[in-house]
Amino acid sequence: MSSIAESLVKTMEKQTQVRAARRQRAKITNQVMNGVFWLVAAIVLSALLFVLGYVVLNGYSYVTVKFLTGSDFATGIAPQLFNTLYITVGALIPLFVIGVSAAIYVSEYARQGWFLNILRFASDTLTSVPSIVIGLLGFLLFVTNFGNGPRWGFSRAAGILALTILNLPWMLRAAEDALRAVPKDFREASMALGANKFQTVTRAILPAAIPGLVTATLIVAGRIIGETAALIYTSGEAGPTAGWFTLNPFFAGDTLSVHIYSLFADNPTTGAYQGRLATAVLLLVLIIVINGTARFLGQRLHQRFSGKKA
Amino acid sequence: MSQQNSSLNNSPLTTVSKDGAIKRVNEERLLTSAETVTKMRAPTAPLKIQTNTLNIYYGANHAIKSVSMPIPEKQVTALMGPSGCGKSTFLKSLNRMLDIIPDTHISGEVLFDNKNVYAHGIDVVELRQRLGMVFQRPNPFPKSIFENVAYGLKIMGGFSRSEIADRVETSLRGAALWDEVQNRLNQSALGLSGGQQQRLCIARALAVAPEVLLMDEPASALDPIATLKIEDLIHELRQQYTIVIVTHNLQQATRVSQYTGFFLTGALIEFGPTADVFEHSLDERTYDFIMGRFG
């Protein structure tokens, strides 16, 4: 029988061996996982590059001045560009007003409780409702009178309202984030100078949140530009036949995204393939520009609050 | 309150017990007294603020325990104690800045010019203008230097453009910042250094003509030189304003203040003239804190 001292030494040796083996295993695991994460990141990046590369390489040559200014179904895109701008701006106005107001309520006024919980639940649920369902709702509410004859018919107004409903929860969440990003210090400073809540919101918080709110709006603008299903049911998928360049909201009109769908779904005419690709190129460029601007403004926001730039 | 004052003033060794009654005590008892009994060497100067058995709860957390504290007029009163002892909470209760923190409950009274600030019918907006506040971290708005100082005046309304410009200049001079910023009033306040930003925040508070300045560790985020400037400024401001300053820097307390209150776990352990508190502590815990044994 070994002495206690011997047994102790043996145990310690054993432990040292076990620890060394463990360290070695941990080291290998670390290296393997590094590789795995790198691979996943590479897959994400290459998926994006593949989509961009495929569309742009195949489509850029079809984006011509004639294509941009023409208004023929497959060979001209001017009405769709105009409609995209019209519907995007048209939907952003109510979205901004309602979304920012609701965000002010939620972040500045509302107390934790059942009402706020219900509001959040409703908002979160609305974000997961398929957009085509919102499109159907818009169709029933605005296009037809619940199936009992026409109301406005397919119209840009119906499209704008459907997009407002669809994007409201996104706008609310993004605007709320922008408001919450305003440091608590400003609220305290304002209140300590004798400002009431409303004065604090309008004079201290909103001005400080403007870059964040612009970013929020641009992110939602990107979503609107990419939206298809909700619009097929409301603003219609056919390009306007006559007088498309009008501000009348009760005219129908398709956007770039819807146009890609129309070129696919409606009897493929000559040039439909080229038209689809060229439209997709335009759409991607638009979305990249908007997201880039949003990112840039987001950084400006950070500078503004951290005081890195005068 | 005047009666209370005179009794406080007549007896250098008194305690204010939980129910607010003032009792003369012998020195032996001072060393063994209960947590919420304050060793009080009452100020001789007239009082601007007096709290009576002030209790503050954050939810179930008893943050301030029955604090009765005098704050003399046109003097600097330092509140010191380890982190989490309640000194900032106490400070914020004076101008009702705790109102904006949900689930806060307050009992007892804060007498400001003999009126309880928690009484019904008190105009909180006016109160906060009379008790200006400077925060731990400089927090200028992301606006121009001018707009920062003018903020409170614009909130109040009724000032002409030239009146506002006048007051902005006076306030910036009062905060010893005018010479450094007079040529760039329209530039962003965020371009200023930390020390300048803090003096800007002081100017912003001065602009609405307060009677009291409440400062919550105003120099803790600043470098030593900026700290000295703030301390010099505090000396200047004492001529006109009653100042309450929270600090956990003991040297700072001795440098800037005439009176000191020592807080520990929400209770006011000791109050008195700063020199007395530091050199002849009446409570062992004050002595230990000053000697650096904890906190």
Side-chain angles (χ1 to χ4, degrees):
Chain A
M1 210 176 93
S2 57
S3 73
I4 291 172
E6 276 172 5
S7 136
L8 203 63
V9 167
K10 263 186 192 162
T11 314
M12 283 168 73
E13 276 171 0
K14 179 80 183 158
Q15 278 178 343
T16 313
Q17 282 168 14
V18 169
R19 282 207 202 102
R22 251 192 216 146
R23 267 204 300 277
Q24 186 60 25
R25 270 207 306 280
K27 199 173 160 188
I28 291 168
T29 311
N30 186 36
Q31 281 166 351
V32 169
M33 289 318 285
N34 269 350
V36 169
F37 290 132
W38 186 88
L39 191 71
V40 173
I43 290 171
V44 171
L45 189 65
S46 52
L48 176 69
L49 287 178
F50 175 73
V51 171
L52 274 179
Y54 182 83
V55 173
V56 172
L57 287 179
N58 285 295
Y60 81 96
S61 59
Y62 306 125
V63 184
T64 58
V65 175
K66 184 169 168 285
F67 181 73
L68 288 173
T69 54
S71 57
D72 288 339
F73 181 54
T75 58
I77 203 76
Q80 285 74 26
L81 275 172
F82 176 74
N83 283 332
T84 305
L85 184 72
Y86 185 98
I87 287 179
T88 304
V89 173
L92 282 179
I93 293 167
L95 273 171
F96 188 85
V97 173
I98 303 171
V100 172
S101 310
I104 289 173
Y105 172 75
V106 169
S107 73
E108 305 299 328
Y109 285 87
R111 282 168 180 268
Q112 294 298 325
W114 61 271
F115 184 74
L116 198 58
N117 289 341
I118 290 176
L119 189 71
R120 284 208 190 289
F121 179 74
S123 174
D124 290 346
T125 308
L126 201 53
T127 55
S128 6
V129 172
S131 61
I132 194 144
V133 174
I134 305 287
L136 183 61
L137 176 80
F139 179 77
L140 293 173
L141 274 176
F142 311 125
V143 178
T144 74
N145 189 5
F146 289 98
N148 304 319
R151 195 191 289 270
W152 301 341
F154 285 105
S155 60
R156 295 187 286 207
I160 284 171
L161 289 177
L163 286 181
T164 304
I165 297 169
L166 181 66
N167 285 297
L168 203 50
W170 296 92
M171 187 69 208
L172 170 63
R173 183 50 65 91
E176 197 190 328
D177 287 348
L179 289 173
R180 288 198 196 279
V182 176
K184 205 180 96 226
D185 301 10
F186 297 164
R187 289 176 182 80
E188 281 192 335
S190 175
M191 302 293 263
L193 288 165
N196 61 30
K197 202 159 215 175
F198 183 72
Q199 289 166 326
T200 300
V201 168
T202 52
R203 288 165 186 261
I205 297 173
L206 276 182
I210 280 173
L213 291 174
V214 172
T215 308
T217 310
L218 284 175
I219 289 168
V220 171
R223 289 182 47 83
I224 292 176
I225 289 174
E227 182 51 45
T228 315
L231 288 177
I232 292 173
Y233 267 66
T234 48
S235 56
E237 57 166 296
T241 45
W244 57 268
F245 189 76
T246 168
L247 292 175
N248 187 340
F250 297 105
F251 268 60
D254 57 347
T255 62
L256 291 172
S257 315
V258 176
H259 192 60
I260 296 176
Y261 168 76
S262 318
L263 285 173
F264 172 76
D266 297 353
N267 320 311
T269 28
T270 10
Y273 171 76
Q274 290 88 336
R276 283 205 293 272
L277 274 173
T279 312
V281 169
L282 275 179
L283 203 51
L284 282 176
V285 168
L286 259 178
I287 285 171
I288 287 171
V289 166
I290 286 175
N291 281 353
T293 316
R295 270 188 86 92
F296 172 74
L297 284 170
Q299 283 163 358
R300 284 289 301 275
L301 173 79
H302 179 74
Q303 279 173 359
R304 201 175 153 97
F305 287 148
S306 56
K308 290 281 146 54
K309 242 180 184 175
Chain B
M1 188 175 131
S2 57
Q3 198 188 349
Q4 201 176 59
N5 277 347
S6 60
S7 76
L8 278 171
N9 293 343
N10 293 339
S11 49
L13 289 177
T14 54
T15 63
V16 183
S17 72
K18 231 174 180 171
D19 56 6
I22 296 150
K23 291 171 188 160
R24 189 172 244 286
V25 288
N26 59 38
E27 283 194 62
E28 212 178 288
R29 176 147 183 267
L30 286 172
L31 294 171
T32 55
S33 53
E35 192 186 38
T36 53
V37 176
T38 304
K39 273 88 170 185
M40 173 73 65
R41 278 180 281 217
T44 46
L47 300 188
K48 187 71 178 170
I49 301 172
Q50 164 81 47
T51 71
N52 289 321
T53 56
L54 186 68
N55 282 285
I56 301 171
Y57 300 83
Y58 293 129
N61 175 20
H62 197 174
I64 288 291
K65 294 166 188 159
S66 195
V67 170
S68 299
M69 177 166 155
I71 292 170
E73 188 169 18
K74 293 189 180 169
Q75 304 282 332
V76 180
T77 302
L79 310 179
M80 65 172 190
S83 300
C85 68
K87 53 197 192 297
S88 291
T89 299
F90 178 80
L91 189 79
K92 286 181 178 170
S93 73
L94 302 180
N95 67 342
R96 293 190 54 172
M97 280 298 281
L98 291 180
D99 291 15
I100 60 177
I101 302 172
D103 209 19
T104 307
H105 301 282
I106 297 168
S107 71
E109 41 178 29
V110 176
L111 299 176
F112 172 53
D113 281 348
N114 288 326
K115 274 200 204 107
N116 185 5
V117 305
Y118 287 97
H120 283 291
I122 287 288
D123 182 355
V124 179
V125 166
E126 189 208 317
L127 179 77
R128 291 192 185 139
Q129 277 159 359
R130 292 174 67 193
L131 291 114
M133 191 159 220
V134 177
F135 297 85
Q136 185 169 1
R137 240 172 25 149
N139 57 357
F141 300 117
K143 297 171 184 273
S144 72
I145 293 167
F146 184 93
E147 285 298 324
N148 263 281
V149 184
Y151 186 89
L153 299 171
K154 290 190 173 173
I155 292 284
M156 287 164 91
F159 292 92
S160 74
R161 199 178 278 250
S162 65
E163 281 171 330
I164 290 180
D166 269 3
R167 275 220 65 80
V168 168
E169 180 177 340
T170 318
S171 311
L172 284 168
R173 283 189 193 281
L177 190 61
W178 175 253
D179 293 339
E180 292 160 59
V181 301
Q182 56 171 317
N183 295 322
R184 47 167 170 158
L185 291 176
N186 291 319
Q187 288 177 21
S188 168
L190 299 179
L192 298 173
S193 72
Q196 288 174 324
Q197 286 188 7
Q198 194 61 302
R199 278 179 284 147
L200 179 70
C201 292
I202 293 173
R204 185 173 63 183
L206 295 182
V208 292
E211 296 153 49
V212 179
L213 275 181
L214 307 173
M215 301 179 153
D216 191 356
E217 299 190 30
S220 67
L222 305 179
D223 63 65
I225 292 169
T227 300
L228 280 182
K229 280 193 180 168
I230 297 279
E231 290 180 4
D232 286 346
L233 180 57
I234 292 171
H235 280 297
E236 290 287 314
L237 293 172
R238 182 166 73 90
Q239 313 298 324
Q240 290 181 59
Y241 303 94
T242 302
I243 295 174
V244 187
I245 178 172
V246 167
T247 180
H248 56 213
N249 180 332
L250 300 174
Q251 280 74 36
Q252 186 168 66
T254 57
R255 283 195 300 261
V256 302
S257 72
Q258 286 72 52
Y259 290 91
T260 294
F262 172 61
F263 281 80
L264 192 61
T265 60
L268 180 61
I269 301 298
E270 178 160 355
F271 183 91
T274 300
D276 292 348
V277 170
F278 273 77
E279 284 158 31
H280 311 285
S281 310
L282 295 179
D283 192 291
E284 281 174 57
R285 290 165 293 185
T286 315
Y287 182 77
D288 288 348
F289 182 74
I290 289 166
M291 287 296 128
R293 295 207 182 126
F294 66 92

